[in-house]
Amino acid sequence: MIFVSQFISFGIERFPPPDFEPGTYTMPQATKPLPRAHYWEYIDMALLLLALSLASYFVHKKRSRKHIFWLALFSIFYFGFIRKGCVCPIGSIQNVTLALFNNGYLVPFSVVFFFLLPLMFTLFFGRTFCAAVCPLGAIQDIVVWKPVKIKPWLENGLRIIPFVYLGLAVLFAATGSAFVICEYDPFISFYRLSGSVNMLALGGIFLVIGMFLGRPYCRFFCPYGAILSILSRFSKWNVYLTSEDCVRCQICDVACPYGAIASPTPISQENNPKISRWSIFGVIGLTILLTIGGAYFGGKLSVPFSKVNYVVSLAERIAGEESGKYKGQTDESKTFREKGGSIEELYADALKIRGNFATGGAIFGAFIGLIVGLKLIENRFTPQTNIYEPDRASCVACGRCYSYCPREIVRVRNLFKLRSIKKQE
Amino acid sequence: MTEEQTNKTANRRQFIRGGLRGAALFVFGAVTTLLGLQSRKERTVWQIDPNKCIACSKCATNCVLTPSAVKCVNYFPMCGYCDLCTGYFEPNPNALNTGAENQVCPVGAIIRQALEDPYYEYRIDENVCIGCGKCVVGCVQFGNGSFFLQVRHDKCVNCNECSIAKVCPSDAFVRVPASSPYIFRAKENQS
């Protein structure tokens, strides 16, 4: 086998190609079928812009669930089945990260476009991307059947997972180790109607759970949703029902399958200013502690995390073989040895990458600590409100609540009356 | 809370939101500029560098597609048109004919056709080929090395991260511009 791979890397002309009699034989050309044509990229980008604009229009101007639903079906069809999902805005986080940290990696313009455009729209219109443009969100949105409510503390706790996922995805992409989001994309194999049984099963499980627990991936895993939930907090426009004359009937809360309606704050929170001042210091102090603690433990994770990296795992294997810990060779170590790479250089590279993981891991840990702390602060100091309204961060603008709000129904009816009066005049 | 106070809080909130929005826009601008300096207009696709490939057969099993989008390519100008093709026949075959027991290819994707004596042409039926690379090993070991594995872009769905690239033991998977999506062996590059 060693003999084989010594020559495998280059062709040697052992048998000169025959000279055929002219005209007797035409040598076939090795075909080179081309990938999807270049102009499709522009069609994709134009359709993304169009879909986002339509979604924002349907959510804010039309206020119509029906229109949002049909747009979602279109997104499933085009961005899912036709475009087959890649590169999607969720996955593009990693391309952008890798390009920012690694000068050798050139990111195509369309990928940057797919990453940034939904962010820009969210900044102005809230999460209308999630509502009807994202193929992963859309497919979960249409399977919702009998959604159950989960306890607020559980919901709040689980909503930290997307930030952890985001942190990990950025860490692994920045160190050039792996694209974890793509690897565990639950619906891509469904859109391609092909893929490993595990991934198809994972997608199926998410869809079945999604019938009873609205949008499980979006709410508790999606790393892009984590970014959007931050941006939508200060979006210019957001989904609102009826700010002034809410009758507190709570029907919107029942209608929302995603637990995204914020309830009125209990009166008991208006307590002694002295105590609340102390609790401000307490929670802020805790946040700082969590951040520092997170940084410390995150840095410690560099050894297990860095095993994901190709160079580090190869170096560990080679080191194991050198010290006699492993017997025999893997394909990787054999190739490395036959190519005559320097072991010292490999070790140095691996140590450098592990160093990057130590720094990155510390930042990752600090980030998680900070997010947990901020969640606690938010929980402690929710702004006073006495009405039911969609929560800016977690509302995905599906538009279901509109048709349930009695005030909205009155508003729409009055609008129609006004129109018919105008017509009669 | 009086109305004035409520208005004040609402105004303050709006002001903070506006400020954060501006800050976010600034960050987006910075990211775009940074990436713009090193972005390329054209998208990239995955390809196997045949000079690094060791034909380990992982391409056959790790692609998200079944069968794999990786296929064997015979580059005819390098082919020796041998009667005893080591990419086609098992070592020590019973007979030099198209009997399945004589073939290296597990799926019979190589079509052997007699030309003028003593030459034979070997074509790959890409609809049958699974990209295992067993023929590549044979051809490179004892032949001219005109067989090599390539990602076929009429089949490849161009995953953001190629699942074969992740497990490739010789780091042979590279991103290439979509306009020149194939890397053929050396002779092609020379001519």
Side-chain angles (χ1 to χ4, degrees):
Chain A
M1 269 316 272
I2 290 170
F3 175 71
V4 175
S5 1
Q6 267 176 351
F7 292 110
I8 202 110
S9 56
F10 46 87
I12 300 172
E13 204 171 275
R14 298 193 182 84
F15 307 96
D19 291 317
F20 292 106
E21 291 282 321
T24 54
Y25 174 68
T26 41
M27 192 179 277
Q29 288 285 316
T31 55
K32 293 181 172 182
L34 287 175
R36 203 159 163 264
H38 194 207
Y39 60 81
W40 275 101
E41 259 174 77
Y42 295 102
I43 295 177
D44 286 346
M45 289 193 270
L47 279 174
L48 179 72
L49 179 64
L50 181 74
L52 278 168
S53 312
L54 277 179
S56 305
Y57 176 72
F58 292 157
V59 168
H60 294 295
K61 267 292 192 229
K62 276 250 168 224
R63 293 168 76 85
S64 152
R65 168 71 194 153
K66 208 165 71 186
H67 287 78
I68 299 169
F69 175 78
W70 285 109
L71 185 62
L73 278 190
F74 167 78
S75 295
I76 291 174
F77 172 72
Y78 186 79
F79 293 112
F81 287 109
I82 301 287
R83 194 170 172 267
K84 302 218 195 300
C86 262
V87 177
C88 75
I90 306 176
S92 71
I93 299 171
Q94 305 160 118
N95 301 63
V96 170
T97 312
L98 182 58
L100 286 175
F101 283 88
N102 183 343
N103 290 330
Y105 175 69
L106 300 176
V107 60
F109 173 70
S110 60
V111 174
V112 180
F113 187 85
F114 262 78
F115 175 69
L116 276 178
L117 195 69
L119 297 185
M120 302 286 260
F121 265 81
T122 305
L123 213 47
F124 288 94
F125 304 105
R127 295 172 66 173
T128 51
F129 168 73
C130 302
V133 184
C134 177
L136 284 80
I139 195 167
Q140 292 174 84
D141 202 289
I142 62 164
V143 299
V144 172
W145 182 42
K146 280 194 170 145
V148 291
K149 284 255 177 290
I150 56 173
K151 293 267 185 303
W153 62 266
L154 185 60
E155 171 106 24
N156 271 333
L158 289 175
R159 277 188 193 273
I160 293 177
I161 301 173
F163 291 97
V164 179
Y165 199 3
L166 173 68
L168 283 176
V170 168
L171 177 64
F172 285 124
T175 51
S177 307
F179 278 15
V180 279
I181 300 175
C182 299
E183 214 174 309
Y184 299 106
D185 179 339
F187 301 114
I188 190 76
S189 34
F190 174 70
Y191 281 132
R192 285 175 179 159
L193 300 173
S194 161
S196 72
V197 182
N198 291 348
M199 292 312 286
L200 278 166
L202 185 68
I205 290 168
F206 263 108
L207 286 183
V208 171
I209 293 176
M211 289 160 73
F212 306 102
L213 178 70
R215 292 200 185 219
Y217 186 78
C218 306
R219 277 155 87 193
F220 308 129
F221 294 99
C222 182
Y224 200 68
I227 304 177
L228 295 187
S229 75
I230 294 174
L231 293 180
S232 63
R233 276 168 201 273
F234 40 93
S235 63
K236 187 143 179 69
W237 295 280
N238 60 307
V239 175
Y240 71 96
L241 286 169
T242 164
S243 341
E244 292 96 43
D245 43 9
C246 174
V247 291
R248 286 177 276 283
C249 64
Q250 220 180 327
I251 298 179
C252 57
D253 193 25
V254 177
C256 180
Y258 310 128
I261 301 284
S263 312
T265 37
I267 314 278
S268 62
Q269 263 200 7
E270 286 181 276
N271 46 19
N272 191 336
K274 229 178 196 173
I275 293 173
S276 76
R277 191 172 302 151
W278 276 113
S279 66
I280 289 177
F281 287 131
V283 181
I284 290 177
L286 187 62
T287 307
I288 295 170
L289 272 182
L290 279 170
T291 312
I292 296 170
Y296 176 75
F297 285 110
K300 298 245 156 194
L301 287 173
S302 70
V303 174
F305 275 179
S306 62
K307 281 190 205 302
V308 176
N309 188 283
Y310 177 77
V311 177
V312 176
S313 70
L314 177 64
E316 280 186 349
R317 175 77 206 183
I318 296 275
E321 283 173 13
E322 294 291 305
S323 67
K325 193 172 142 202
Y326 302 123
K327 295 236 154 55
Q329 295 179 328
T330 58
D331 278 344
E332 286 82 356
S333 63
K334 200 169 72 194
T335 318
F336 173 77
R337 287 173 194 276
E338 277 156 16
K339 297 251 160 88
S342 144
I343 293 183
E344 275 70 40
E345 269 175 40
L346 179 74
Y347 289 168
D349 285 347
L351 281 177
K352 200 173 148 225
I353 291 168
R354 188 169 280 173
N356 292 345
F357 264 100
T359 324
I363 297 171
F364 163 72
F367 171 71
I368 301 303
L370 184 69
I371 289 291
V372 173
L374 288 176
K375 282 260 173 204
L376 289 175
I377 292 180
E378 191 196 21
N379 238 20
R380 197 78 190 74
F381 306 102
T382 330
Q384 291 287 313
T385 169
N386 52 3
I387 57 170
Y388 284 90
E389 59 184 344
D391 175 52
R392 277 172 166 270
S394 46
C395 171
V396 290
C398 69
R400 281 188 179 83
C401 50
Y402 288 146
S403 60
Y404 285 86
C405 178
R407 286 294 184 184
E408 173 80 7
I409 294 169
V410 171
R411 190 188 72 89
V412 172
R413 198 176 293 156
N414 287 346
L415 215 66
F416 272 110
K417 266 187 201 159
L418 208 68
R419 264 185 215 157
S420 57
I421 291 167
K422 269 186 187 163
K423 260 185 200 164
Q424 281 166 12
E425 281 173 359
Chain B
M1 235 190 261
T2 63
E3 201 174 317
E4 200 183 322
Q5 266 180 321
T6 322
N7 275 342
K8 222 174 162 184
T9 338
N11 282 341
R12 189 175 61 215
R13 240 174 248 159
Q14 253 175 10
F15 177 75
I16 293 173
R17 276 185 189 137
L20 287 172
R21 200 154 52 232
L25 280 175
F26 176 76
V27 171
F28 293 165
V31 169
T32 321
T33 326
L34 257 176
L35 291 174
L37 292 176
Q38 53 170 326
S39 84
R40 67 195 309 160
K41 284 219 177 75
E42 202 179 352
R43 74 172 181 161
T44 52
V45 292
W46 292 99
Q47 193 47 274
I48 299 171
D49 185 345
N51 299 317
K52 287 188 191 166
C53 174
I54 60 162
C56 65
S57 85
K58 283 189 175 154
C59 289
T61 48
N62 283 284
C63 184
V64 296
L65 300 176
T66 324
S68 171
V70 172
K71 308 284 176 198
C72 174
V73 169
N74 187 8
Y75 183 52
F76 294 99
M78 276 174 81
C79 181
Y81 292 84
C82 313
D83 182 9
L84 172 55
C85 171
T86 47
Y88 185 81
F89 289 113
E90 285 276 9
N92 308 318
N94 288 330
L96 297 186
N97 59 32
T98 54
E101 72 278 11
N102 303 327
Q103 292 186 31
V104 145
C105 181
V107 291
I110 307 174
I111 302 160
R112 171 177 150 107
Q113 198 189 358
L115 301 174
E116 61 187 73
D117 195 57
Y119 300 125
Y120 287 84
E121 182 194 83
Y122 297 91
R123 283 178 198 252
I124 314 290
D125 185 347
E126 288 195 1
N127 292 323
V128 180
C129 176
I130 57 167
C132 66
K134 290 202 165 79
C135 57
V136 176
V137 174
C139 179
V140 172
Q141 194 175 3
F142 300 113
N144 288 358
S146 67
F147 281 177
F148 47 90
L149 294 175
Q150 287 282 283
V151 175
R152 305 304 277 176
H153 291 294
D154 50 343
K155 306 210 164 52
C156 175
V157 287
N158 198 22
C159 297
N160 199 13
E161 183 177 49
C162 174
S163 62
I164 311 174
K166 258 182 65 66
V167 295
C168 176
S170 61
D171 219 4
F173 269 78
V174 285
R175 288 186 174 92
V176 295
S179 56
S180 54
Y182 290 92
I183 309 173
F184 278 12
R185 265 211 220 280
K187 193 156 179 179
E188 157 100 334
N189 299 339
Q190 286 160 9
S191 60

